[in-house]
Amino acid sequence: MKFLFGFVSVVLILASCATEPLVKPTRSGYPEGIFLNATLEEVQSKIVEGCSSRGIFVMESTKNVVICGKTLEGRDAVLGSLLVGGRYSTTPELKIRFILYQKGNDVYVTAQQWIESQSGFGQIRREELKHNRHINDIQKFLFSLGAQ
């Protein structure tokens, strides 16, 4: 019964996320940004600094990919566990992948976020966060870094 109540709560929360209008609708359906007159290194540095200054760890940083993440806490950890965890799973982590590519003088960025947890048997379970609220949070983050 507790599982059913938790599941219903998560479904209702996620359903309410879809009603928020998108800040910037994109073709891909993911948050996107264009950094005008920039290099990959400059944009990569902005993303790394943006994640770090918000208390999100930089887990991977290459020329075209930056992955940031943090372990969920409190209510977020409980809700995340209901989506991807289990009784013996690790505490869920929020992860964001930024894919960068140079096109002329500009750098294009697309972002994807998800939560994941590792089971007691070592399997990774992921749930993509692609609701409007989640997309808007990352879109606003890109805008705060100077993206168009």
Side-chain angles (χ1 to χ4, degrees):
M1 188 65 155
K2 287 190 329 189
F3 173 77
L4 180 61
F5 175 74
F7 180 75
V8 170
S9 297
V10 170
V11 169
L12 291 175
I13 289 169
L14 293 178
S16 69
C17 295
T19 60
E20 181 177 324
L22 289 173
V23 173
K24 178 185 175 185
T26 62
R27 285 187 190 179
S28 69
Y30 292 98
E32 297 177 1
I34 303 170
F35 291 83
L36 303 174
N37 298 312
T39 65
L40 284 171
E41 293 79 18
E42 290 169 342
V43 175
Q44 178 191 37
S45 180
K46 285 182 181 191
I47 293 171
V48 167
E49 191 277 327
C51 287
S52 297
S53 69
R54 288 165 175 81
I56 303 170
F57 294 106
V58 177
M59 305 177 103
E60 180 182 329
S61 182
T62 65
K63 181 178 177 183
N64 295 95
V65 176
V66 176
I67 298 177
C68 300
K70 74 176 195 169
T71 303
L72 297 177
E73 298 175 346
R75 189 182 88 190
D76 293 334
V78 172
L79 291 174
S81 291
L82 290 171
L83 283 175
V84 297
R87 188 174 188 171
Y88 300 106
S89 297
T90 60
T91 303
E93 294 181 331
L94 169 70
K95 294 194 177 179
I96 309 163
R97 176 186 299 117
F98 299 92
I99 300 170
L100 303 77
Y101 66 95
Q102 187 87 42
K103 186 174 179 183
N105 292 328
D106 306 327
V107 175
Y108 289 72
V109 177
T110 302
Q112 176 189 28
Q113 68 178 321
W114 68 93
I115 56 173
E116 71 179 33
S117 181
Q118 184 174 359
S119 74
F121 299 107
Q123 295 173 317
I124 303 291
R125 290 194 58 201
R126 286 185 178 180
E127 183 68 33
E128 185 174 8
L129 299 177
K130 197 174 176 187
H131 302 285
N132 290 2
R133 183 176 58 90
H134 301 120
I135 292 170
N136 285 342
D137 287 346
I138 301 302
Q139 190 66 61
K140 290 173 187 175
F141 173 76
L142 291 172
F143 288 156
S144 77
L145 300 178
Q148 304 294 310

